[in-house]
Amino acid sequence: MDFGVVLQCTPPASRVVELAVAAENRGFAYVWTFDSHLLWQEPYVIYSQVLAATRKVMVGPMVTNPLTRDWTVTASGFATLNDMFGNRTVCGIGRGDSAVRALAGKPSTLNTLRSSIEVIRELANGRAAHVNGIDIRFPWGGDSRLDMYVAAYGPLALDLTGQVADGFILQLADPAIVRWTVERVKNAAADAGRNPDDVKICVAAPAYVGDDLAHQREQCRWFGGMVGNHVADIVARYGTDDGGGTSGIPQELTDYIKGREGYDYNQHGRAGNSHAAFVPDEIVDRFCILGDTAAHIDKLRELEALGVDQFAVYLQHDGKNGTLEAYGETVIPALRKSREAIVSDPEPTG
């Protein structure tokens, strides 16, 4: 299993770079950021500094969207970073949440998302894309390579992910929901004639290592509020009776938002915010990974057995440094396959 961190581009940007370097030095392989240019600073500017300060980590948004950025500009940004720093970028994309809704917009359609993935991926992988009736490509970007991960919750979005994505991002760590979503994505890939194993699975959720579970819950309750934005869209479309009717959506995903009364994007992703009071402790425990290192290792092994290839840690809490250190010293080594220095018995002597 690989590990990543998910950071907000909260000023100062130097702090984001500092956390990215600390994560790489503790064994993390991915550095993701929120992409909400109104709420926080511009991530693509910060990516160049993260890439310059690190050696190997892959860097990109979790997640961008097809509405607030021109697709060709997005592709050019990735291709330029790849040319400058080697092919070390990755793109997470979804229909749009905070970046879109903070500007009073609505998430994109799935058709728009599908089209944007095709254009961004083709251009950022050195190929031609069809845009506005013409075929275009970057004359300088032939060596660029970029994987496209799609963030999804609903059935049709999960199907799209399996059909076209290089990777799937699920923003919660509940094993029951992981099982359902991964199965849906993999089945959609197979139905599209793809090898299901070609779709990498990334689970992203707050992880907080410590002994005070009550404090950890309060620091991570915001996450249930954030996920609730997407769940509310799903409930509006599919309903909740019998797990979502014919869609088969697990009630583990939909039931908890019954007490939801709105959302303040000024507090998006912030510990202690006021719009997450409806999120019960049970959801915090299911969606996040809390407790001591043993609890983290146990849950991560359960996720790995469900086919998860990467776990990305949301670090929006007051235990950033301690959690990074605990993961680097204990959790990541426990989840990595060991390699012995001596792989065969010595030749007999005499």
Side-chain angles (χ1 to χ4, degrees), residues 88-137:
R88 292 175 52 203
T89 63
V90 60
C91 180
I93 191 168
R95 295 176 58 215
D97 181 30
S98 60
V100 175
R101 297 186 206 254
L103 296 170
K106 295 181 179 180
S108 76
T109 65
L110 289 178
N111 284 336
T112 296
L113 177 59
R114 182 187 296 269
S115 296
S116 72
I117 292 167
E118 180 179 356
V119 168
I120 295 169
R121 178 162 50 202
E122 293 307 291
L123 290 176
N125 279 281
R127 300 186 290 264
H130 195 69
V131 179
N132 295 334
I134 60 172
D135 292 331
I136 61 171
R137 66 182 178 189

Side-chain angles (χ1 to χ4, degrees), residues 180-263:
W180 174 71
T181 55
V182 170
E183 181 178 356
R184 182 114 189 180
V185 167
K186 297 283 189 178
N187 287 342
D191 290 344
R194 305 179 66 198
N195 182 349
D197 292 338
D198 289 343
V199 184
K200 299 301 180 184
I201 308 299
C202 174
V203 163
Y208 193 140
V209 178
D211 299 322
D212 187 344
L213 190 57
H215 178 74
Q216 293 175 64
R217 284 172 176 154
E218 290 310 310
Q219 284 288 301
C220 297
R221 198 175 304 277
W222 65 268
F223 185 67
M226 185 189 83
V227 173
N229 297 328
H230 304 283
V231 175
D233 288 342
I234 293 171
V235 169
R237 181 179 179 91
Y238 298 101
T240 59
D241 55 313
D242 297 324
T246 58
S247 69
I249 301 169
Q251 289 179 291
E252 291 93 336
L253 179 60
T254 59
D255 278 358
Y256 85 97
I257 68 162
K258 292 177 181 178
R260 181 178 181 270
E261 297 181 349
Y263 193 84

Side-chain angles (χ1 to χ4, degrees), residues 1-3 26-27 292-302 304 325-339:
M1 179 183 283
D2 284 328
F3 289 85
R26 286 160 176 78
D292 60 16
T293 55
H296 286 247
I297 291 168
D298 287 346
K299 189 164 185 178
L300 288 166
R301 283 179 173 157
E302 185 177 5
E304 186 177 43
E325 182 176 357
Y327 264 68
E329 294 294 328
T330 305
V331 177
I332 293 177
L335 271 293
R336 283 203 173 142
K337 294 180 180 178
S338 62
R339 289 169 59 91

Side-chain angles (χ1 to χ4, degrees), residues 8-341:
Q8 285 177 338
C9 295
T10 304
S14 58
R15 174 62 169 159
V16 182
V17 177
E18 178 183 282
L19 287 168
V21 171
E24 181 179 57
N25 288 339
R26 286 160 176 78
F28 289 82
Y30 288 79
V31 173
W32 305 87
T33 76
F34 286 60
D35 178 7
S36 293
H37 60 284
L38 177 63
L39 301 179
W40 304 291
Q41 292 183 326
E42 170 56 33
Y44 287 82
V45 176
I46 297 173
Y47 294 157
S48 65
Q49 297 300 304
V50 170
L51 288 163
T54 55
R55 305 176 305 279
K56 296 180 180 180
V57 289
M58 303 293 292
V59 177
M62 186 183 283
V63 295
T64 193
N65 69 85
L67 300 179
T68 57
R69 300 181 187 277
D70 181 274
W71 306 343
T72 63
V73 175
T74 297
S76 181
F78 285 118
T80 300
L81 291 170
N82 285 339
D83 185 61
M84 293 173 66
F85 300 104
N87 288 316
R88 292 175 52 203
T89 63
V90 60
C91 180
I93 191 168
R95 295 176 58 215
D97 181 30
S98 60
V100 175
R101 297 186 206 254
L103 296 170
K106 295 181 179 180
S108 76
T109 65
L110 289 178
N111 284 336
T112 296
L113 177 59
R114 182 187 296 269
S115 296
S116 72
I117 292 167
E118 180 179 356
V119 168
I120 295 169
R121 178 162 50 202
E122 293 307 291
L123 290 176
N125 279 281
R127 300 186 290 264
H130 195 69
V131 179
N132 295 334
I134 60 172
D135 292 331
I136 61 171
R137 66 182 178 189
F138 301 137
W140 44 267
D143 294 329
S144 176
R145 298 294 179 266
L146 179 75
D147 282 346
M148 299 288 294
Y149 281 60
V150 175
Y153 294 99
L156 296 180
L158 294 169
D159 291 346
L160 181 151
T161 302
Q163 292 159 8
V164 304
D166 301 301
F168 164 50
I169 296 171
L170 177 64
Q171 291 163 305
L172 55 82
D174 179 87
I177 299 171
V178 170
R179 182 181 295 107
W180 174 71
T181 55
V182 170
E183 181 178 356
R184 182 114 189 180
V185 167
K186 297 283 189 178
N187 287 342
D191 290 344
R194 305 179 66 198
N195 182 349
D197 292 338
D198 289 343
V199 184
K200 299 301 180 184
I201 308 299
C202 174
V203 163
Y208 193 140
V209 178
D211 299 322
D212 187 344
L213 190 57
H215 178 74
Q216 293 175 64
R217 284 172 176 154
E218 290 310 310
Q219 284 288 301
C220 297
R221 198 175 304 277
W222 65 268
F223 185 67
M226 185 189 83
V227 173
N229 297 328
H230 304 283
V231 175
D233 288 342
I234 293 171
V235 169
R237 181 179 179 91
Y238 298 101
T240 59
D241 55 313
D242 297 324
T246 58
S247 69
I249 301 169
Q251 289 179 291
E252 291 93 336
L253 179 60
T254 59
D255 278 358
Y256 85 97
I257 68 162
K258 292 177 181 178
R260 181 178 181 270
E261 297 181 349
Y263 193 84
D264 181 1
Y265 278 94
N266 286 308
Q267 301 181 57
H268 186 61
R270 185 183 303 172
N273 60 44
S274 60
H275 53 251
F278 74 94
V279 180
D281 288 350
E282 177 201 359
I283 289 295
V284 182
D285 293 346
R286 281 173 35 206
F287 283 14
C288 306
I289 305 184
L290 310 176
D292 60 16
T293 55
H296 286 247
I297 291 168
D298 287 346
K299 189 164 185 178
L300 288 166
R301 283 179 173 157
E302 185 177 5
L303 295 176
E304 186 177 43
L306 294 173
V308 175
D309 300 293
Q310 179 190 158
F311 178 65
V313 177
Y314 276 94
L315 273 179
Q316 286 66 51
H317 53 62
D318 63 4
K320 296 179 179 65
N321 294 328
T323 295
L324 284 177
E325 182 176 357
Y327 264 68
E329 294 294 328
T330 305
V331 177
I332 293 177
L335 271 293
R336 283 203 173 142
K337 294 180 180 178
S338 62
R339 289 169 59 91
E340 294 181 342

